[in-house]
Amino acid sequence: MKKVELFPQSKLLTVALYFLFVIFTISSCVTDIDYTDQTNSIPVLNCLLTNDTVQRLSITRSVKMNDSYIFKEIKEATISLYQDEIKVGNFIRISYDNWQLKYTPLTGKIYHIKVVLPDGQILTATTVMPTMVNIQQNKIIDKFPSKNFIQKSFGSPCWITVVNSDSILKPYSHPTTKDWASTVIGTDHFSADQFNQNGNLLDFLPTSDTPAFDYYIRIKPDSVIDTISFKLQDSFGFHTCICFRTASAEYDKYIKTSMQKILMRSDETDPGIWFDETKVFSNIDNGIGIFAAYYNQYFNYNDDDSYFEN
């Protein structure tokens, strides 16, 4: 099975998509910086709450266009997390641009973050920890190039990515940046958002029969009562992790606007990118960045050669 290169496009697109892949694998963030005001640096706060025992945060300052480095780390701040109006703890700086809080968010709860900087400036933001969309495997009918699933709940957007590995994946293990993501995924899910649809998967993968989507599939938050069966198609590696990420409203807007901007700039010869005024979503009061939440569900497959026989 030949590996699919993660980012075959231009250098600009390669870097952008790498950072977006990192968002799915190690929960970091990237944010567009507004350089209109070159007199003062802008605080950049990135924090994604997830269904894990430790929450992580990055806080920096933007830099001027002619500076020699990308950002300035903020080393001192009081950063508090609240569930509704009850404080659950403070983030502690562990290492370079790495703040952590030992806490597991509760689904359906409202979370607030408050950052007090040494100069008295205060940053705030709000999000809701989503309830995981109920996805179950339907492996009994799997046949290459399809993996089958059943969706039993709706109401929140869900993002799907396929990550392949050279090594055996253990149950519930997270993918790492050493693994590679599929560049094209197919699905017949009726609620798949078509904003990044790109032809048919048959153009890339013989025997497939679904529309093709660039890098990720976004399942829209439709209100559906019935159980839905659907399939994903890809040139799956022998060790594959499929991640279903239920997103808060803020995280959903952040990922979609990031993808739209990346896809807009995928063709560097298109003069339309010179006039691109689309903004990556941000919800940080008195700063920029993202405070959002998501719930991950992983399905790992460790297949032998026989799986790939028609």
Side-chain angles (χ1 to χ4, degrees):
M1 175 62 63
K2 181 181 180 181
K3 288 186 183 179
V4 178
E5 292 185 6
L6 181 54
F7 310 123
Q9 283 91 342
S10 67
K11 291 182 179 179
L12 174 64
L13 185 60
T14 297
V15 173
L17 284 167
Y18 170 77
F19 279 117
L20 199 55
F21 174 57
V22 167
I23 293 172
F24 273 87
T25 56
I26 61 175
S27 303
S28 295
C29 285
V30 289
T31 302
D32 268 14
I33 294 175
D34 183 1
Y35 288 105
T36 19
D37 183 0
Q38 289 285 295
T39 58
N40 297 311
S41 62
I42 303 170
V44 183
L45 174 65
N46 289 315
C47 180
L48 298 177
L49 302 180
T50 184
N51 55 312
D52 205 343
T53 56
V54 177
Q55 307 307 309
R56 293 172 172 80
L57 178 146
S58 166
I59 183 165
T60 60
R61 286 191 178 276
S62 64
V63 297
K64 297 179 182 179
M65 293 290 287
N66 58 351
D67 281 346
S68 59
Y69 41 85
I70 300 175
F71 57 77
K72 299 176 183 178
E73 183 193 13
I74 294 177
K75 296 183 179 180
E76 296 182 3
T78 301
I79 307 176
S80 304
L81 181 67
Y82 298 83
Q83 178 197 305
D84 297 323
E85 302 301 325
I86 302 172
K87 183 177 177 179
V88 298
N90 286 343
F91 282 85
I92 305 298
R93 184 179 180 273
I94 304 300
S95 59
Y96 180 77
D97 196 30
N98 176 19
W99 296 67
Q100 296 184 12
L101 169 63
K102 291 183 179 180
Y103 176 74
T104 303
L106 302 177
T107 57
K109 297 295 183 180
I110 300 173
Y111 286 92
H112 307 277
I113 197 165
K114 180 180 180 181
V115 178
V116 181
L117 300 177
D119 61 3
Q121 186 175 5
I122 297 177
L123 314 180
T124 59
T126 301
T127 192
V128 176
M129 185 66 186
T131 300
M132 181 187 71
V133 170
N134 187 351
I135 304 286
Q136 298 179 6
Q137 292 171 295
N138 192 13
K139 294 180 70 174
I140 194 170
I141 60 173
D142 282 357
K143 182 179 180 181
F144 185 77
S146 300
K147 295 190 185 297
N148 293 269
F149 300 89
I150 300 172
Q151 183 170 350
K152 294 189 174 183
S153 69
F154 293 80
S156 293
C158 183
W159 288 77
I160 306 171
T161 184
V162 176
V163 182
N164 297 292
S165 176
D166 281 324
S167 56
I168 293 176
L169 294 165
K170 298 178 181 179
Y172 309 111
S173 61
H174 296 206
T176 71
T177 52
K178 294 181 180 179
D179 304 324
W180 66 95
S182 296
T183 57
V184 182
I185 315 170
T187 188
D188 60 353
H189 198 301
F190 81 99
S191 284
D193 192 334
Q194 298 180 357
F195 83 97
N196 63 330
Q197 183 179 337
N198 184 10
N200 295 305
L201 195 62
L202 185 60
D203 298 331
F204 308 93
L205 182 63
T207 74
S208 61
D209 58 0
T210 57
F213 298 82
D214 288 332
Y215 301 98
Y216 305 97
I217 295 171
R218 177 181 181 266
I219 303 301
K220 295 181 287 186
D222 291 335
S223 297
V224 179
I225 298 176
D226 295 334
T227 295
I228 302 298
S229 297
F230 67 97
K231 62 187 174 184
L232 299 178
Q233 293 187 326
D234 180 70
S235 54
F236 297 108
F238 296 143
H239 309 299
T240 293
C241 175
I242 299 177
C243 177
F244 291 87
R245 174 165 289 185
T246 306
S248 69
E250 298 79 16
Y251 186 76
D252 182 53
K253 291 177 183 177
Y254 175 74
I255 291 295
K256 186 170 181 177
T257 54
S258 296
M259 274 295 299
Q260 287 171 324
K261 197 169 192 70
I262 289 170
L263 294 174
M264 168 71 73
R265 293 174 176 266
S266 61
D267 182 2
E268 294 180 357
T269 64
D270 182 358
I273 66 174
W274 303 339
F275 310 101
D276 176 24
E277 297 182 359
T278 58
K279 299 291 185 181
V280 174
F281 174 78
S282 172
N283 66 333
I284 307 298
D285 292 333
N286 294 325
I288 56 176
I290 186 68
F291 175 63
Y294 62 83
Y295 198 110
N296 272 346
Q297 185 177 16
Y298 296 107
F299 294 104
N300 294 334
Y301 297 81
N302 294 292
D303 300 307
D304 58 23
D305 292 351
S306 64
Y307 182 87
F308 296 92
E309 296 177 0
N310 292 331

